Amino acid sequence: MNAAAYAVCDVNYTDPAIIAAGSFLKFNSEIPLIIYLESGGNYRRLRAALAQYGDRAEFREVNFPEMAVYDSVRNQYTELFYNPEAMPAFAQRIKALAELRQECDIIVNIDLDTLTLNHIRPAITAAESGRIAAVSERDNRDRWLRNLGLTDIAPMPDYFNTGFAAYPAAIIPEDILREYADFLRAYHDRIYCPEQDFLNWKFAGMITRLPVAYNLMFTSREYTTAAPRIIHFLGAHKPWAARISPPEGVSNYAHHFPRYAVEAERWGGFLAHEFRTAVAENARRL
């Protein structure tokens, strides 16, 4: 089976994209990476950084989907987790699945707030069974549902985080973007991660759980002990964020910031000065 990975990059995410895409391609020489670029941005530095990987790095500049339903998906829950301006990028992730289902057998999504440190071949093998291979964050999900007073729309044993996931193309319906829009209309007042909630609802019970190392987040008990394949810098407290402080009650969220700083040094010639400075400062201070 042939596999391809993809990522979605909006106009403000060039610097994290250089590190996420560059590190993924470094460790996964047999998997091409398709980067969907939001139309109208300046991606010269990103293209230049990944030029060393030749045609393994493919760029598709597109208009992200716009939907009237986006305006309804704004409640007291969603505002805690994402910027409403990200809704078109979320929809593009869904649209990419529909497009890539015609081009390969296994579709790998990789978020651009990640750092890859090893190959992902076992995840590809796991997805060949016909089930989505991903890391479950059921415990974290349950904590948030309790805190927000929500009833889960996808109450299955595994709720997967979409920061890294391998999808069998055969299970992706052609009209999945329309299904996503219908889902937003139906559940807009009960969700806090629109694209992730939809995919867990749509593919409930079709998950093969990967070890946490494939999508290691600070919410995991193993964050400081697991040998990561992919580190996912979840939430607002990212290595490059300005003026950040530790989240309340979380002591180890910056444990892997020094690894990110090392990678930023590697790509330093392609990164904005402000980005490099913030990464280095956060790694030193936190």
Side-chain angles (χ1 to χ4, degrees), residues 180-248:
Y180 179 54
D182 291 345
F183 170 85
L184 295 180
R185 292 187 189 95
Y187 294 102
H188 63 90
D189 58 344
R190 296 174 55 192
I191 57 177
Y192 63 83
C193 292
E195 161 245 8
Q196 185 167 282
D197 284 352
F198 165 70
L199 290 169
N200 275 275
W201 172 84
K202 171 67 179 174
F203 298 112
M206 300 177 65
I207 313 302
T208 293
R209 182 184 290 202
L210 293 175
V212 297
Y214 285 86
N215 188 357
L216 190 61
M217 299 167 279
F218 76 83
T219 52
S220 170
R221 297 188 198 90
E222 300 172 56
Y223 190 59
T224 61
T225 58
R229 288 179 182 266
I230 296 174
I231 304 169
H232 185 183
F233 296 98
L234 193 69
H237 304 278
K238 307 206 186 281
W240 60 89
R243 297 180 297 278
I244 59 175
S245 57
E248 184 178 350

Coordinates of all heavy atoms in Angstrom, one line a residue, residues 180-248:
Y180 N -19.2 17.1 7.2 CA -18.7 17.9 8.2 C -19.6 19.1 8.4 O -19.8 19.5 9.6 CB -17.3 18.3 7.8 CG -16.5 19.3 8.8 CD1 -16.4 19.0 10.1 CD2 -16.0 20.5 8.3 CE1 -15.7 19.8 11.0 CE2 -15.3 21.3 9.1 CZ -15.2 21.0 10.5 OH -14.5 21.9 11.3
A181 N -20.0 19.8 7.4 CA -20.9 20.9 7.5 C -22.2 20.6 8.2 O -22.7 21.3 9.0 CB -21.2 21.5 6.1
D182 N -22.7 19.4 7.8 CA -24.0 19.0 8.5 C -23.7 18.7 10.0 O -24.6 19.0 10.8 CB -24.5 17.7 7.8 CG -25.0 17.9 6.4 OD1 -25.2 19.1 6.0 OD2 -25.1 16.9 5.7
F183 N -22.6 18.2 10.3 CA -22.2 17.9 11.7 C -22.2 19.2 12.5 O -22.7 19.3 13.6 CB -20.9 17.2 11.7 CG -20.3 17.1 13.1 CD1 -20.7 16.0 14.0 CD2 -19.4 18.0 13.6 CE1 -20.1 15.9 15.2 CE2 -18.8 17.9 14.8 CZ -19.2 16.9 15.7
L184 N -21.5 20.2 11.9 CA -21.4 21.5 12.6 C -22.8 22.1 12.8 O -23.0 22.7 13.9 CB -20.6 22.5 11.8 CG -19.1 22.1 11.6 CD1 -18.4 23.2 10.7 CD2 -18.4 21.9 12.9
R185 N -23.7 22.0 11.9 CA -25.0 22.5 12.1 C -25.8 21.8 13.2 O -26.5 22.4 14.0 CB -25.8 22.4 10.8 CG -25.4 23.3 9.7 CD -26.3 23.2 8.5 NE -25.7 23.9 7.3 CZ -25.0 23.2 6.4 NH1 -24.9 21.9 6.4 NH2 -24.5 23.9 5.4
A186 N -25.6 20.5 13.3 CA -26.3 19.7 14.3 C -25.7 19.8 15.7 O -26.5 19.7 16.6 CB -26.3 18.2 13.8
Y187 N -24.4 19.9 15.8 CA -23.8 19.8 17.1 C -23.0 21.1 17.5 O -22.2 21.0 18.4 CB -22.8 18.6 17.1 CG -23.5 17.3 17.0 CD1 -23.5 16.6 15.7 CD2 -24.1 16.7 18.0 CE1 -24.1 15.4 15.6 CE2 -24.7 15.5 17.9 CZ -24.7 14.8 16.7 OH -25.4 13.6 16.6
H188 N -23.3 22.2 16.9 CA -22.5 23.4 17.1 C -22.4 23.9 18.6 O -21.5 24.5 19.0 CB -23.0 24.6 16.2 CG -24.4 25.0 16.6 ND1 -24.7 25.9 17.5 CD2 -25.6 24.5 16.1 CE1 -26.0 26.1 17.6 NE2 -26.6 25.2 16.8
D189 N -23.4 23.5 19.3 CA -23.5 23.9 20.7 C -23.0 22.9 21.7 O -23.0 23.1 22.9 CB -24.9 24.3 21.1 CG -25.9 23.2 20.9 OD1 -25.6 22.2 20.2 OD2 -27.0 23.3 21.5
R190 N -22.4 21.8 21.1 CA -21.9 20.7 22.0 C -20.5 20.3 21.7 O -20.1 19.2 22.2 CB -22.9 19.5 21.9 CG -24.3 19.7 22.3 CD -25.2 18.5 22.0 NE -24.6 17.3 22.5 CZ -25.1 16.1 22.2 NH1 -26.1 16.0 21.3 NH2 -24.6 15.0 22.7
I191 N -19.8 21.1 21.0 CA -18.4 20.7 20.6 C -17.4 21.8 21.0 O -17.8 22.9 21.2 CB -18.3 20.4 19.1 CG1 -18.7 21.7 18.3 CG2 -19.1 19.2 18.7 CD1 -18.6 21.5 16.8
Y192 N -16.2 21.3 21.2 CA -15.1 22.3 21.4 C -13.9 22.2 20.5 O -13.0 23.0 20.5 CB -14.7 22.3 22.9 CG -14.1 21.1 23.5 CD1 -12.8 20.8 23.3 CD2 -14.9 20.1 24.2 CE1 -12.2 19.7 23.8 CE2 -14.3 19.0 24.7 CZ -12.9 18.8 24.5 OH -12.4 17.6 25.0
C193 N -13.8 21.1 19.8 CA -12.7 20.9 18.8 C -13.4 20.5 17.5 O -13.6 19.2 17.3 CB -11.7 19.9 19.2 SG -10.7 20.4 20.7
P194 N -13.9 21.4 16.7 CA -14.8 21.0 15.6 C -14.4 19.9 14.7 O -15.1 18.9 14.6 CB -14.9 22.3 14.8 CG -14.7 23.4 15.8 CD -13.6 22.8 16.7
E195 N -13.2 20.0 14.1 CA -12.7 19.0 13.1 C -12.5 17.7 13.9 O -12.8 16.6 13.4 CB -11.5 19.5 12.4 CG -10.6 18.4 11.8 CD -9.2 18.4 12.4 OE1 -9.0 19.0 13.5 OE2 -8.4 17.6 11.9
Q196 N -11.8 17.7 15.0 CA -11.5 16.5 15.8 C -12.7 15.8 16.3 O -12.9 14.6 16.3 CB -10.5 16.9 16.9 CG -10.0 15.7 17.7 CD -8.9 16.1 18.6 OE1 -7.8 16.3 18.2 NE2 -9.2 16.3 19.9
D197 N -13.7 16.6 16.8 CA -14.9 16.0 17.3 C -15.7 15.3 16.2 O -16.2 14.2 16.3 CB -15.8 17.1 17.9 CG -15.4 17.5 19.3 OD1 -14.5 16.9 19.9 OD2 -15.9 18.5 19.8
F198 N -15.7 16.0 15.0 CA -16.4 15.4 13.9 C -15.7 14.0 13.5 O -16.4 13.0 13.3 CB -16.3 16.3 12.6 CG -16.7 15.7 11.4 CD1 -18.0 15.2 11.1 CD2 -15.7 15.4 10.4 CE1 -18.3 14.6 9.9 CE2 -16.0 14.8 9.2 CZ -17.4 14.4 8.9
L199 N -14.4 14.0 13.4 CA -13.8 12.8 12.9 C -13.9 11.6 13.9 O -14.1 10.5 13.6 CB -12.3 13.0 12.7 CG -12.0 13.9 11.4 CD1 -10.6 14.4 11.4 CD2 -12.4 13.2 10.1
N200 N -14.0 12.0 15.2 CA -14.2 10.9 16.2 C -15.7 10.5 16.2 O -16.0 9.3 16.4 CB -13.9 11.5 17.6 CG -12.4 11.3 17.9 OD1 -12.0 10.3 18.4 ND2 -11.6 12.4 17.7
W201 N -16.6 11.4 15.9 CA -18.0 11.0 15.8 C -18.2 10.2 14.5 O -18.9 9.1 14.6 CB -18.8 12.3 15.7 CG -20.3 12.2 15.4 CD1 -21.3 11.9 16.3 CD2 -20.9 12.3 14.1 NE1 -22.5 11.8 15.6 CE2 -22.2 12.1 14.3 CE3 -20.4 12.6 12.8 CZ2 -23.1 12.2 13.2 CZ3 -21.2 12.7 11.8 CH2 -22.6 12.5 12.0
K202 N -17.6 10.6 13.4 CA -17.8 9.9 12.2 C -17.2 8.5 12.2 O -17.8 7.5 11.7 CB -17.1 10.7 11.0 CG -17.1 10.0 9.7 CD -18.4 9.8 9.1 CE -18.3 9.2 7.7 NZ -19.6 8.9 7.2
F203 N -16.0 8.4 12.8 CA -15.3 7.1 12.7 C -15.3 6.4 14.1 O -14.3 5.7 14.4 CB -13.9 7.3 12.2 CG -13.9 7.8 10.8 CD1 -13.4 9.1 10.5 CD2 -14.4 7.0 9.7 CE1 -13.4 9.6 9.2 CE2 -14.4 7.5 8.4 CZ -13.9 8.8 8.2
A204 N -16.3 6.6 14.9 CA -16.3 6.0 16.2 C -16.3 4.5 16.1 O -16.9 3.9 15.3 CB -17.7 6.4 17.0
G205 N -15.4 3.9 17.0 CA -15.2 2.5 17.0 C -14.3 1.9 15.9 O -14.1 0.7 15.8
M206 N -13.7 2.8 15.1 CA -12.8 2.4 14.0 C -11.4 2.8 14.3 O -10.6 3.2 13.3 CB -13.3 3.0 12.7 CG -14.7 2.5 12.3 SD -15.3 3.3 10.8 CE -14.2 2.6 9.6
I207 N -10.9 2.8 15.5 CA -9.6 3.3 15.9 C -8.7 2.2 16.4 O -9.1 1.4 17.2 CB -9.7 4.4 17.0 CG1 -10.8 5.4 16.7 CG2 -8.4 5.0 17.3 CD1 -10.6 6.1 15.4
T208 N -7.5 2.1 15.8 CA -6.4 1.3 16.4 C -5.5 2.2 17.2 O -5.0 3.2 16.7 CB -5.6 0.6 15.3 OG1 -6.5 -0.3 14.6 CG2 -4.4 -0.1 15.9
R209 N -5.5 1.9 18.5 CA -4.7 2.8 19.4 C -3.2 2.7 19.2 O -2.7 1.5 19.3 CB -5.1 2.6 20.8 CG -4.4 3.5 21.8 CD -4.8 3.1 23.3 NE -6.1 3.5 23.6 CZ -6.6 3.7 24.8 NH1 -5.7 3.6 25.9 NH2 -7.8 3.9 25.1
L210 N -2.5 3.8 19.0 CA -1.1 3.8 18.9 C -0.5 4.1 20.3 O -1.1 4.8 21.1 CB -0.6 4.8 17.9 CG -0.9 4.5 16.4 CD1 -0.5 5.7 15.6 CD2 -0.3 3.2 15.9
P211 N 0.8 3.7 20.5 CA 1.4 4.2 21.8 C 1.5 5.7 21.8 O 1.6 6.4 20.7 CB 2.8 3.6 21.6 CG 2.7 2.4 20.8 CD 1.6 2.8 19.8
V212 N 1.5 6.3 23.0 CA 1.5 7.8 23.1 C 2.7 8.4 22.4 O 2.6 9.6 22.1 CB 1.4 8.2 24.6 CG1 0.2 7.7 25.2 CG2 2.7 7.7 25.3
A213 N 3.8 7.7 22.2 CA 5.0 8.2 21.6 C 4.7 8.8 20.2 O 5.5 9.6 19.7 CB 6.1 7.2 21.5
Y214 N 3.6 8.4 19.5 CA 3.4 8.8 18.2 C 2.7 10.2 18.1 O 2.6 10.8 17.1 CB 2.5 7.8 17.4 CG 3.2 6.6 17.0 CD1 3.4 5.5 17.8 CD2 3.8 6.5 15.7 CE1 4.1 4.4 17.4 CE2 4.5 5.4 15.3 CZ 4.6 4.3 16.2 OH 5.4 3.2 15.8
N215 N 2.2 10.6 19.3 CA 1.6 12.0 19.3 C 1.7 12.4 20.8 O 0.7 12.5 21.5 CB 0.1 11.9 18.9 CG -0.5 13.2 18.7 OD1 0.1 14.3 19.0 ND2 -1.8 13.2 18.3
L216 N 2.9 12.7 21.3 CA 3.1 12.9 22.7 C 2.8 14.3 23.1 O 3.3 15.3 22.6 CB 4.6 12.6 23.0 CG 5.0 12.6 24.5 CD1 4.2 11.5 25.2 CD2 6.5 12.4 24.6
M217 N 1.8 14.4 24.0 CA 1.3 15.7 24.4 C 1.5 15.9 25.9 O 1.6 14.9 26.6 CB -0.2 15.8 24.1 CG -0.5 15.7 22.6 SD -2.3 15.4 22.3 CE -2.4 13.6 22.5
F218 N 1.6 17.2 26.3 CA 1.9 17.4 27.7 C 0.8 16.9 28.6 O 1.0 16.8 29.9 CB 2.2 18.9 28.0 CG 1.0 19.8 28.0 CD1 0.2 19.9 29.2 CD2 0.7 20.6 26.9 CE1 -0.9 20.8 29.2 CE2 -0.4 21.4 26.9 CZ -1.2 21.5 28.1
T219 N -0.4 16.6 28.1 CA -1.5 16.1 28.9 C -1.3 14.6 29.2 O -2.1 14.1 30.0 CB -2.8 16.3 28.1 OG1 -2.7 15.7 26.8 CG2 -3.2 17.7 28.0
S220 N -0.3 14.0 28.6 CA -0.1 12.5 28.8 C 0.7 12.3 30.1 O 1.7 13.1 30.4 CB 0.7 11.9 27.6 OG 1.1 10.6 28.0
R221 N 0.4 11.3 30.9 CA 1.2 11.0 32.0 C 2.6 10.6 31.7 O 3.5 10.7 32.5 CB 0.6 9.8 32.8 CG -0.8 10.0 33.3 CD -1.2 8.9 34.2 NE -2.7 8.8 34.4 CZ -3.5 8.2 33.7 NH1 -3.1 7.5 32.6 NH2 -4.8 8.2 33.9
E222 N 2.8 10.2 30.4 CA 4.2 9.7 30.0 C 5.0 10.8 29.3 O 6.0 10.5 28.6 CB 4.0 8.5 29.1 CG 3.3 7.3 29.7 CD 3.0 6.2 28.7 OE1 3.9 5.8 28.0 OE2 1.8 5.9 28.6
Y223 N 4.5 12.0 29.4 CA 5.1 13.1 28.6 C 6.6 13.2 28.9 O 7.4 13.5 27.9 CB 4.5 14.4 29.0 CG 4.9 15.6 28.1 CD1 4.6 15.5 26.7 CD2 5.4 16.8 28.6 CE1 5.0 16.5 25.8 CE2 5.8 17.8 27.7 CZ 5.6 17.7 26.4 OH 5.9 18.7 25.5
T224 N 7.1 13.0 30.1 CA 8.5 13.2 30.4 C 9.3 11.9 30.4 O 10.5 11.9 30.6 CB 8.7 13.9 31.8 OG1 8.1 13.0 32.8 CG2 8.0 15.2 31.8
T225 N 8.6 10.7 30.2 CA 9.3 9.4 30.3 C 9.3 8.7 29.0 O 10.2 7.9 28.7 CB 8.6 8.6 31.4 OG1 7.2 8.4 31.0 CG2 8.7 9.2 32.7
A226 N 8.3 8.9 28.1 CA 8.2 8.2 26.8 C 9.3 8.7 25.9 O 9.8 9.8 25.9 CB 6.9 8.4 26.2
A227 N 9.8 7.8 25.0 CA 10.7 8.1 23.9 C 9.9 8.6 22.7 O 9.4 7.7 22.0 CB 11.6 7.0 23.6
P228 N 9.8 9.8 22.5 CA 8.8 10.3 21.5 C 9.2 10.0 20.0 O 10.4 10.1 19.7 CB 8.7 11.8 21.7 CG 10.1 12.2 22.3 CD 10.5 11.0 23.1
R229 N 8.2 9.7 19.2 CA 8.4 9.7 17.8 C 7.9 11.0 17.2 O 8.6 11.6 16.4 CB 7.6 8.6 17.1 CG 8.2 7.2 17.3 CD 7.3 6.1 16.7 NE 7.9 4.8 17.0 CZ 8.7 4.1 16.1 NH1 9.1 4.7 15.0 NH2 9.2 2.9 16.4
I230 N 6.8 11.5 17.8 CA 6.3 12.9 17.4 C 5.9 13.6 18.7 O 5.1 13.0 19.5 CB 5.1 12.8 16.5 CG1 5.6 12.1 15.1 CG2 4.5 14.1 16.2 CD1 4.4 11.9 14.2
I231 N 6.4 14.8 18.9 CA 6.0 15.6 20.0 C 5.0 16.6 19.5 O 5.2 17.3 18.5 CB 7.1 16.4 20.7 CG1 8.2 15.4 21.1 CG2 6.6 17.2 21.8 CD1 9.5 16.1 21.6
H232 N 3.8 16.7 20.1 CA 2.8 17.6 19.7 C 2.6 18.7 20.8 O 2.2 18.4 21.9 CB 1.4 16.8 19.6 CG 0.3 17.6 19.0 ND1 -1.0 17.1 18.9 CD2 0.2 18.9 18.6 CE1 -1.8 18.0 18.4 NE2 -1.1 19.1 18.2
F233 N 3.0 19.9 20.4 CA 2.9 21.0 21.3 C 1.5 21.6 21.3 O 1.2 22.6 20.7 CB 4.0 22.1 20.9 CG 5.4 21.5 21.0 CD1 6.1 21.0 19.9 CD2 6.0 21.4 22.3 CE1 7.3 20.5 20.0 CE2 7.3 20.9 22.4 CZ 8.0 20.4 21.3
L234 N 0.7 20.9 22.1 CA -0.7 21.2 22.1 C -1.1 22.5 22.8 O -0.3 22.9 23.7 CB -1.4 20.0 22.9 CG -2.9 19.8 22.9 CD1 -3.3 19.4 21.5 CD2 -3.2 18.7 24.0
G235 N -2.2 23.1 22.4 CA -2.7 24.3 23.1 C -2.0 25.6 22.8 O -1.2 25.7 21.8
A236 N -2.2 26.6 23.6 CA -1.7 27.9 23.4 C -0.2 28.1 23.8 O 0.5 29.0 23.4 CB -2.5 28.9 24.1
H237 N 0.3 27.2 24.6 CA 1.6 27.3 25.2 C 2.6 26.6 24.3 O 3.2 25.6 24.7 CB 1.6 26.8 26.6 CG 0.6 27.4 27.5 ND1 0.8 28.6 28.2 CD2 -0.6 27.0 27.9 CE1 -0.2 28.9 28.9 NE2 -1.1 27.9 28.7
K238 N 2.9 27.2 23.2 CA 3.8 26.6 22.2 C 5.2 27.1 22.4 O 5.4 28.2 23.0 CB 3.3 26.9 20.8 CG 1.8 26.4 20.6 CD 1.5 26.1 19.2 CE 0.0 25.8 19.0 NZ -0.4 24.5 19.5
P239 N 6.2 26.4 21.9 CA 7.6 26.8 22.1 C 7.9 28.2 21.6 O 8.9 28.9 22.1 CB 8.4 25.8 21.4 CG 7.5 24.6 21.4 CD 6.1 25.1 21.2
W240 N 7.2 28.7 20.6 CA 7.5 30.0 20.0 C 6.5 31.1 20.5 O 6.6 32.3 20.1 CB 7.4 29.9 18.5 CG 6.0 29.5 18.0 CD1 5.0 30.3 17.7 CD2 5.6 28.1 17.8 NE1 3.9 29.5 17.3 CE2 4.2 28.2 17.3 CE3 6.2 26.9 17.9 CZ2 3.5 27.1 17.0 CZ3 5.4 25.8 17.5 CH2 4.1 25.9 17.1
A241 N 5.6 30.8 21.4 CA 4.7 31.8 21.9 C 5.3 32.9 22.7 O 6.2 32.6 23.5 CB 3.5 31.2 22.6
A242 N 4.9 34.1 22.6 CA 5.5 35.2 23.3 C 4.9 35.3 24.7 O 3.7 35.1 24.9 CB 5.3 36.5 22.6
R243 N 5.7 35.6 25.7 CA 5.2 35.9 27.1 C 4.3 34.8 27.6 O 3.3 35.0 28.2 CB 4.5 37.2 27.1 CG 5.4 38.4 26.7 CD 4.6 39.7 26.7 NE 3.5 39.7 25.7 CZ 3.7 40.0 24.4 NH1 4.9 40.3 24.0 NH2 2.7 40.0 23.6
I244 N 4.7 33.5 27.5 CA 3.9 32.5 28.0 C 4.4 32.1 29.4 O 5.6 32.4 29.8 CB 4.0 31.2 27.2 CG1 5.4 30.7 27.0 CG2 3.3 31.5 25.8 CD1 5.5 29.4 26.2
S245 N 3.5 31.5 30.2 CA 3.9 31.0 31.5 C 3.2 29.7 31.7 O 2.3 29.3 31.0 CB 3.4 32.0 32.6 OG 2.0 32.2 32.5
P246 N 3.7 28.9 32.6 CA 3.2 27.5 32.8 C 1.7 27.5 33.0 O 1.2 28.3 33.8 CB 3.9 27.0 34.0 CG 5.2 27.8 34.1 CD 4.8 29.1 33.6
P247 N 0.9 26.6 32.3 CA -0.5 26.5 32.6 C -0.7 26.1 34.1 O 0.1 25.3 34.7 CB -0.9 25.3 31.7 CG 0.1 25.2 30.7 CD 1.4 25.7 31.3
E248 N -1.8 26.5 34.6 CA -2.0 26.3 36.1 C -2.1 24.8 36.3 O -2.8 24.0 35.6 CB -3.4 26.9 36.5 CG -3.7 26.8 37.9 CD -5.0 27.5 38.3 OE1 -5.5 28.2 37.5 OE2 -5.4 27.3 39.4

